[in-house]
């Protein structure tokens, strides 16, 4: 049966990947239908970093300035600190022309969505929960069924994009398997008041019982403390005084700083990568396709890079009035899968080293880092840092 096309592209999920893709596709003058099940976007801590490869993409889409207007601040250095001996490593975070910016995750999501809507090409339906894909024929997918406050609807487009996060129903419905690795550690995310002498740097505090990552915000610092997996109840219920004591023992710079625990959360961490990304008529991007340990801060970067790469493949084809996307999706799948596989693997290795706990590993890590802290070693490790920040 032939159906009228309701849009050129249907995107499920208005997180970083979905809104990013909407921004990228709007440049091709396409009609985009964006479905988001949340009533409003969230306020939890899920990574604040817009690494240079992301800001380069945002600049390409003409929306970088909006993030600066929303309060994004540049950071220039990464520092590693020993909990007793102070700073043991400091390296620049950028060399090229694209800045490394930090902005709370919720504001990144909000700004991306606002920019997508400002193009006038994106029709957002919210709250609207995608239910299931509709098959055009036995092989290909032609649309999606979703539910909103008015009832259940069917919509049709040449392509449905699953940007619906790590529990993706689109991934499940196109029958894609993922290999999942569950880490023995988790991240406890919260905020603290920003110490007056805190520099605009990403700061990792090393400690035998688990490090603490600090990210600057205008008057606060984002705190990500490494804790054991399945310890959520313990940390979320711990009284402020005890939590402060533990945090200060790991990150002495937080001495005397009030904690802000609204929106705090303990994140279970999973590494996964879909075996493939698409089936005729549907494709997955962002966390729907891969999740990484956040130690290397690559999840959002990969979500935006997927959005940019997919738009470059399908955008020109759809803009030319074609609806057969097999070649474009093949290209996208081949290129982006291997780019992502490298990042998933390298993030995994870095995370395993960072998460090693106990006095032996702590001594080994700090000794290794001290050896790397001379100017020659900093310049030699520069390409490794750049691979996380700058390569596409
Ligand atoms: C603790 C933590 C720290 C992190 N730190 C960093 C970091 O420093 N740097 C970094 O780059 N990344 C980081 N990440 C990862 C990053 O947050 C994610 O990789 C990224 O946000 C994924 O975006 P996404 O749009 O693919 O998925 P999501 O953000 O999960 O968005 C999916 C969207 O789809 C919607 N949706 C789901 N199902 C449906 C449906 N059926 N119908 C309609 N809508 C639906 C959801 O409501 C949601 O809005 C971190 C993650 C965690 C957990």
């Amino acid at each position: 049966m032939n159906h009228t096309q309701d849009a050129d592209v249907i995107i499920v999920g208005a997180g970083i990947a979905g809104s990013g893709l909407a921004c990228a596709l709007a440049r091709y003058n396409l009609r985009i239908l964006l479905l988001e099940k949340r009533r409003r976007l969230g306020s939890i801590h899920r990574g604040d970093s817009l690494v240079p490869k992301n800001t380069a993409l945002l600049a390409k889409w003409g929306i970088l300035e909006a993030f600066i207007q929303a309060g994004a601040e540049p950071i220039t250095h990464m520092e590693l600190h020993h909990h007793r001996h102070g700073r043991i490593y400091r390296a620049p975070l950028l060399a090229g022309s694209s800045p490394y910016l930090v902005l709370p995750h919720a504001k990144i999501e909000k700004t991306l969505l606002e920019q997508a809507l400002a193009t006038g090409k994106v029709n957002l339906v919210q709250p609207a929960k995608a239910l299931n894909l509709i098959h055009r024929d036995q092989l290909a997918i032609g649309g999606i069924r979703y539910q909103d406050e008015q009832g259940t609807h069917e919509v049709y487009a040449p392509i449905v994009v699953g940007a619906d996060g790590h529990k993706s129903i689109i991934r499940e419905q196109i029958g894609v398997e993922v290999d999942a690795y569950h880490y023995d550690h988790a991240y406890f995310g919260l905020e603290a008041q920003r110490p007056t002498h805190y520099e605009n740097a990403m700061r990792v505090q090393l400690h035998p019982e688990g490090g603490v990552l600090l990210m600057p915000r205008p008057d606060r610092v984002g705190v990500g403390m490494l804790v054991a997996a399945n310890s959520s109840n313990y940390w979320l219920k711990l009284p402020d005084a005890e939590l402060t004591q533990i945090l200060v023992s790991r990150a002495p710079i937080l001495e005397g700083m009030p904690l802000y625990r609204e929106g705090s959360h303990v994140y279970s961490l999973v590494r996964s990568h879909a075996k493939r990304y698409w089936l005729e008529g549907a494709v997955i991007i962002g966390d729907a396709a891969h999740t990484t340990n956040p130690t290397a801060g690559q999840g959002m970067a990969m979500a935006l890079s997927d959005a940019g790469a997919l738009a470059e493949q399908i955008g020109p084809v759809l803009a030319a009035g074609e609806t057969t996307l097999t070649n474009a999706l093949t290209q996208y799948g081949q290129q982006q899968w291997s780019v992502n596989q490298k990042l998933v693997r390298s993030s995994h290795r870095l995370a395993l080293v960072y998460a090693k706990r106990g006095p032996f590993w702590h001594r080994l890590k700090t000794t290794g880092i001290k050896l790397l802290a001379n100017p020659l070693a900093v310049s030699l490790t520069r390409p490794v840092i750049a691979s996380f920040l700058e390569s596409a």
Side-chain angles (χ1 to χ4, degrees):
M1 190 196 305
N2 277 329
H3 293 281
T4 316
Q5 303 287 18
D6 299 285
D8 296 309
V9 182
I10 297 170
I11 303 173
V12 180
I16 302 293
S19 292
L21 180 64
C23 288
L25 284 173
R27 297 168 68 239
Y28 294 94
N29 214 19
L30 299 171
R31 292 172 308 143
I32 298 142
L33 176 62
L34 183 56
L35 305 175
E36 171 52 54
K37 73 174 180 186
R38 284 182 289 169
R39 196 164 287 279
R40 58 185 74 81
L41 299 184
S43 59
I44 55 170
H45 311 297
R46 286 191 61 189
D48 305 348
S49 296
L50 288 168
V51 297
K53 58 187 163 190
N54 283 344
T55 56
L57 263 182
L58 298 176
K60 185 172 165 187
W61 299 339
I63 59 174
L64 182 59
E65 186 54 32
F67 289 81
I68 292 162
Q69 293 301 323
E73 287 200 41
I75 57 170
T76 54
H77 282 81
M78 178 181 77
E79 294 184 352
L80 301 179
H81 289 249
H82 185 280
H83 65 295
R84 282 200 309 270
H85 306 150
R87 193 171 79 198
I88 53 175
Y89 184 85
R90 179 176 160 90
L93 275 175
L94 43 125
S97 55
S98 303
Y100 188 126
L101 297 178
V102 286
L103 186 66
H105 191 88
K107 284 195 179 170
I108 298 179
E109 273 193 345
K110 182 169 174 277
T111 308
L112 260 182
L113 181 57
E114 282 170 359
Q115 291 305 305
L117 296 176
T119 62
K121 306 303 298 177
V122 180
N123 174 17
L124 171 69
V125 187
Q126 182 185 26
K129 184 176 179 183
L131 300 175
N132 60 278
L133 292 165
I134 303 168
H135 286 256
R136 197 168 354 120
D137 52 45
Q138 277 187 329
L139 293 174
I141 289 145
I144 196 150
R145 192 168 287 112
Y146 74 89
Q147 188 169 35
D148 66 8
E149 281 155 350
Q150 275 74 51
T152 304
H153 312 269
E154 289 185 359
V155 277
Y156 296 87
I159 180 98
V160 177
V161 182
D164 51 342
H166 72 289
K167 292 184 182 156
S168 171
I169 61 151
I170 307 297
R171 184 186 67 230
E172 190 187 301
Q173 290 182 18
I174 61 174
V176 172
E177 285 177 42
V178 282
D179 55 342
Y181 175 95
H182 296 263
Y183 290 92
D184 69 351
H185 58 274
Y187 264 96
F188 180 20
L190 67 158
E191 289 183 317
Q193 187 176 309
R194 182 172 171 156
T196 43
H197 55 292
Y198 191 99
E199 257 194 276
N200 258 1
M202 176 208 294
R203 186 175 168 124
V204 181
Q205 295 278 162
L206 297 168
H207 190 275
E209 286 168 43
V212 179
L213 171 69
L214 301 176
M215 283 300 253
R217 295 180 182 167
D219 53 355
R220 296 185 180 183
V221 278
V223 178
M225 179 161 67
L226 194 115
V227 297
N230 304 316
S231 60
S232 170
N233 264 350
Y234 171 79
W235 291 106
L236 293 178
K237 288 184 181 157
L238 198 65
D240 271 6
E242 283 173 56
L243 178 57
T244 303
Q245 204 180 1
I246 294 172
L247 263 177
V248 170
S249 71
R250 298 191 193 188
I253 192 171
L254 296 180
E255 175 90 61
M257 295 298 116
L259 301 180
Y260 301 102
R261 298 177 72 171
E262 69 277 10
S264 70
H265 194 75
V266 177
Y267 298 89
S268 313
L269 305 177
V270 183
R271 180 208 69 190
S272 66
H273 196 188
K275 303 258 187 252
R276 57 189 166 82
Y277 290 169
W278 65 278
L279 190 70
E280 204 70 51
V283 59
I284 49 174
I285 62 170
D287 275 16
H290 38 68
T291 53
T292 58
N293 187 303
T295 302
Q298 291 300 301
M300 206 155 41
M302 289 162 76
L304 281 176
S305 137
D306 286 357
L310 181 63
E312 274 182 20
Q313 291 297 340
I314 64 171
V317 182
L318 290 167
E322 303 274 330
T323 52
T324 306
L325 295 168
T326 315
N327 289 343
L329 291 173
T330 305
Q331 284 289 328
Y332 168 73
Q334 280 172 356
Q335 281 169 17
Q336 201 63 11
W337 194 90
S338 46
V339 169
N340 287 335
Q341 178 70 354
K342 274 193 205 136
L343 284 170
V344 169
R345 280 211 183 125
S346 46
S347 300
H348 177 66
R349 288 191 201 112
L350 184 75
L352 289 185
V353 174
Y354 178 62
K356 291 273 185 222
R357 277 155 286 168
F360 168 77
W361 282 104
H362 182 63
R363 257 198 310 279
L364 195 66
K365 279 188 273 182
T366 48
T367 309
I369 289 161
K370 280 179 188 165
L371 287 175
L372 290 175
N374 66 72
L376 177 64
V378 167
S379 67
L380 290 176
T381 49
R382 176 86 188 95
V384 180
I385 296 176
S387 72
F388 283 113
L389 302 179
E390 287 159 15
S391 58

